[in-house]
Amino acid sequence: MRTSVKWVTAATGAIRRAVRNAVGLLAAGFALASPLAGGAAAAPLSDPTEFEVKAAFVYNFAKFAAWPEGAFAGPRATLVLCRLGDVGFGSALSALEGKPVGERRLAVRDVMLREAGDCHLLVIGAPLESRLADVARIVKGRPILTIGDAEGFAAHGGAIGLTLDDGRVRFEVNPKALAGSGITLSSQLLRLARIVEDVP
């Protein structure tokens, strides 16, 4: 019995450390070796690119989000990550194909606007970020987490906007847009976000 208790305690500690580490990466951001960060023009190959960092953020959003009951066909159903429009970091998102999110696996798809309602995460790129009203009409009332990196994305109705701040990737959250989807984000994650409201 003592062995079992020790094993459970050790496993619980490992899980907590993993959560802290993942959230810590988001809190610290990633210094990009680019002119934005004052780095050299030619970065070492080991340095993550801006696009890779943004893809890593999207993956962590998936891990720290909770979808409402009924959003999936079953407990192991695929979590569908969609690219809509010309997503600048879309190629980096391809690396997330098959990655685990709890008991689910991620599937990365390219979709047309009319197909966006079948997604769980929707990453929106050009020229769609200028048509957020159209996107909002498609996803309204559906459990879809909208993400984009256009300037002011969250303030214009997107749930999560990725930004660059002094060469680091940060993120903004629009609580109204998030609430409309029925999706909740971890309180740990929300504490790290910049909260924004819809622009008038």
Side-chain angles (χ1 to χ4, degrees):
M1 180 64 70
R2 289 182 178 177
T3 301
S4 298
V5 171
K6 288 181 178 178
W7 184 89
V8 171
T9 301
T12 301
I15 291 171
R16 288 175 177 169
R17 286 193 297 273
V19 170
R20 283 198 301 268
N21 289 341
V23 175
L25 287 175
L26 293 174
F30 291 80
L32 303 178
S34 71
L36 287 172
L45 292 178
S46 59
D47 288 341
T49 66
E50 175 190 335
F51 291 169
E52 289 169 338
V53 171
K54 287 180 176 179
F57 268 59
V58 171
Y59 182 45
N60 276 288
F61 295 150
K63 294 201 298 184
F64 286 94
W67 276 260
E69 186 176 354
F72 299 93
R76 295 181 181 273
T78 301
L79 184 65
V80 182
L81 166 61
C82 298
R83 293 176 292 212
L84 178 63
D86 184 13
V87 179
F89 60 103
S91 59
L93 290 174
S94 296
L96 301 182
E97 177 71 35
K99 292 289 186 183
V101 177
E103 295 183 343
R104 308 184 192 280
R105 293 281 175 174
L106 273 172
V108 182
R109 300 176 183 170
D110 292 303
V111 297
M112 304 291 287
L113 181 57
R114 64 178 179 273
E115 303 168 320
D118 297 326
C119 307
H120 297 108
L121 298 102
L122 182 63
V123 182
I124 302 168
L128 272 301
E129 75 269 8
S130 62
R131 293 173 53 196
L132 276 177
D134 295 332
V135 175
R137 190 161 49 252
I138 295 290
V139 305
K140 184 178 180 179
R142 301 193 186 192
I144 302 171
L145 186 62
T146 52
I147 304 167
D149 64 349
E151 184 176 354
F153 178 84
H156 286 84
I160 300 179
L162 294 168
T163 65
L164 280 178
D165 180 10
D166 194 24
R168 293 177 183 272
V169 178
R170 306 289 191 184
F171 65 102
E172 301 175 334
V173 172
N174 181 325
K176 181 180 177 181
L178 190 64
S181 70
I183 297 169
T184 58
L185 295 178
S186 159
S187 60
Q188 292 174 296
L189 194 65
L190 287 174
R191 282 197 295 269
L192 305 174
R194 178 173 177 262
I195 303 301
V196 300
E197 297 180 355
D198 289 339
V199 294

